[in-house]
Amino acid sequence: MDADGNFDVVIFGTGITESIAAAALSKAGLKVAHLDSNAYYGGDEASLTLEELAQWADSRQPAAAQTSPYLSEQRNKFTSITRSSTIPDHPRQYSVSLAPSLITSVGPLITSLVSSGVSRYGGYRLLERVGLYDSAVGIRNVPGSKEDVFKSQEMSLLDKRRLMRFLMFASGDFEDKKELLGHQDSPFIEFLRTAFSLGKEVSEAIAYALAFCTSSTDPTLTALQRLRSYLRSSGRYGSSPFLVGHYGGLGEIAQGFCRVSAVNSGVYILDRPIRSIISSSNSVENTATPTGDFSPSRRDKYVVELEDFPEPMTADLIISSASLLPEGLRETAHFLPQQTSSTVLSRARCIAIIDRPISFPTSLRADEDPSPEPASVADTNPVPSVDNSPVDTSVVVFPPSSLEGGSSTSAVHAFITGQGSMSAPQGKYIVYLSVPMDETQDTLPETILNPYLDAILSLTVSPSPEASIPPTPLFTLFYAEHPSERTQSTSTENKSSTVLVSPPISTALSETSDAASDAAEVLFFKAIEILKARRREAWTVREGSVEAGSGGDVFEELKFWPPLDGDPEEEAGEW
Amino acid sequence: MSKQLQFKLVLLGESAVGKSSLVLRFVKDQFDDYRESTIGAAFLTQTVALDDGTTVKFEIWDTAGQERYKSLAPMYYRNANCAVVVYDITQSSSLDKARNWIRELQRQADPSIIIALCGNKSDLAARRQVTQEEAQKYAEEEGLMWAETSAKSGDGVADIFTAIAKKLPTTAQPAARAGAARAGAATGRAGVDLNKQNAATSNDPCNC
Ligand SMILES: Nc1nc2c(ncn2[C@@H]2O[C@H](COP(=O)(O)OP(=O)(O)O)[C@@H](O)[C@H]2O)c(=O)[nH]1
Ligand SMILES: [Mg+2]
């Protein structure tokens, strides 16, 4: 921070979207102050130790003693919270994500990670398995690629041919294909059955386990687009299209982006609530133009004061997460719209700790694909390598109506991960469950998700054949997460506002990470646009000229991520 | 080719004790009185050649100023093989801060982490507030390495890094690149290096 505490941008909230935006803005040469009233990074996408998670949950209980504008907003956003009263041993060895998510191997977040250099900070692993729950047999393997389809011993030749035809279609440019015409908005499941004559089982596997549809009515076009991006992702780092970030994923990744911002002179202040924000309409000094005229101009600046912090900060622009937006700025803020069409829904969520791995039927493992290149279709190896080590990181998909006592309309994607993603101690696994919930019904998240948790437990490997004690979770937390209520308060859109609020992002397992990167990119360019106009105005005032672009040259042809400097290995060199 | 091992080294300690200056002295053999806080590098590397022919390559992480307002992320010191915790011998309060960091590392970091306590600005011994005895006694109690350094004169800087290099277990699984292989070491399974395509099965121990 310079001596006067002057910044171009002050950002409230270190959630994944704001953190990516902070890194990009700092790299573009702007002075950024990045603040959070939490003591931890990551906001609503934080990765927390079990102790921190318990505290997080307790402070969001409606009756909790402590209060602040932020906490009361959080108490509207997170409701119906119930947790186990005891916390398992070694609570600090857990990194639990508030926003569990898979990262597509080809997509906006990966691009941001690699282009910003953040990928060098942390670790990632491949998602090992995706399985489909079947009450009769337990877990059915899902063919994740054309090679899997070919190798499958469960499918008839006719089914294989139909499925291959569909996969070819789905990985290509299907937008103008005749098969899709008129069906863009019809339910994807129906489309699979009618346009490609696929059977019920295969259709369900495609819709819920490959395209990650969350309901039987998900529209065809968006499902196909998702599926295409997943199909194109497989093979980049291994046969699975998905990666899982170490130490709780997005919360850790947010810290990486914040570090990139700090390395580019971003200033970080955590654990300090905002005391006040004043918008000062400073009259910029009137300066004589060459013709002797005066051209007065008004430049609004924000003056931000924090609790326990001596120096006030000034900024031309404020960016805020919806959660941390100070109430006083709500009227004038510009709430950026969501980037994808699917609406952000309320979700019932469960986080459980278990001490047994999930038992999958054997097959080739995604992260142990022996061929360096994706296997060619002709290369059929009939003997899959058998691996008996437990599956660490996986997804178990429950299609609608697949589970007694479960939802008949929504699919549930259970995400299970353990020590392999550095998020749990050895032998322990975190189970994340979530399902969109109908807010008009007042069923508790615990009631909605308990059947799924029981089913997951029944799919675990029992420690010995005789052990008849039913497995129980070591810890559970259930809660409901709602879209932020902090949205545009009036019908006006405040398009020229200098307070930007991050767009809402999808909370679906396979969508959150890419949505955050897209949202950050929108924030970045909007911020640049505003600051550019500001600079031009300031320059005009100083020079008394309106020559196009003069003041904004620094921002011409700006990219979200400029090329990285040389390899850090060579940066210092050996001497 | 001789054996090269790579380790992550992090700097910790209160603002202005001279962390960035120590790195600059060690990596570039420079010192700058007026340099503005932390420079724009995510991490720097420097190699130390040991007598037995082994070279130890340090991947050195500076704080990027994030220690200033309690905002150093846990990610920063995760997977660190060694930490240099710095205090300023002319500021007794900076030793208290160093103690807090050491406690934090003992709670959070890998138990095998090597911690060196480093009393910097030894060229300003005339204004000394922390005695050598006090610091050394504390270091002994906690099982830490200890030395006094001056980033300004260079005294003791190379020595402390070399001592750390010698102490690092030569059998430990170091990282080929940040993150990727290191994670694999802990789990027995290869992680994924995002900068290399289809590298899932690569466990090349050395990127030379
Ligand atoms: N006299 C003296 N000054 C030092 C020494 N090391 C650093 N400084 C000065 O202390 C100030 C803070 O140093 P810096 O490396 O930025 O500290 P950091 O905040 O811990 O990274 C700078 O003005 C340095 O020039 C030293 O060994 N002796
Ligand atoms: Mg520094």
Side-chain angles (χ1 to χ4, degrees), chain B residues 12-24 31-38 62-63 65 67-68 86 88 119-124 127 149-154 157:
Chain B
L12 290 166
E14 195 182 2
S15 205
V17 295
K19 298 181 294 298
S20 302
S21 301
L22 280 171
V23 175
L24 192 65
F31 179 78
D32 187 349
D33 264 307
Y34 305 103
R35 202 177 39 79
E36 232 214 51
S37 64
T38 306
D62 196 2
T63 59
E67 80 282 19
R68 201 149 157 206
V86 186
D88 173 349
N120 191 41
K121 308 199 185 178
S122 63
D123 56 291
L124 302 177
R127 304 202 329 241
T149 55
S150 169
K152 187 167 183 170
S153 72
V157 178

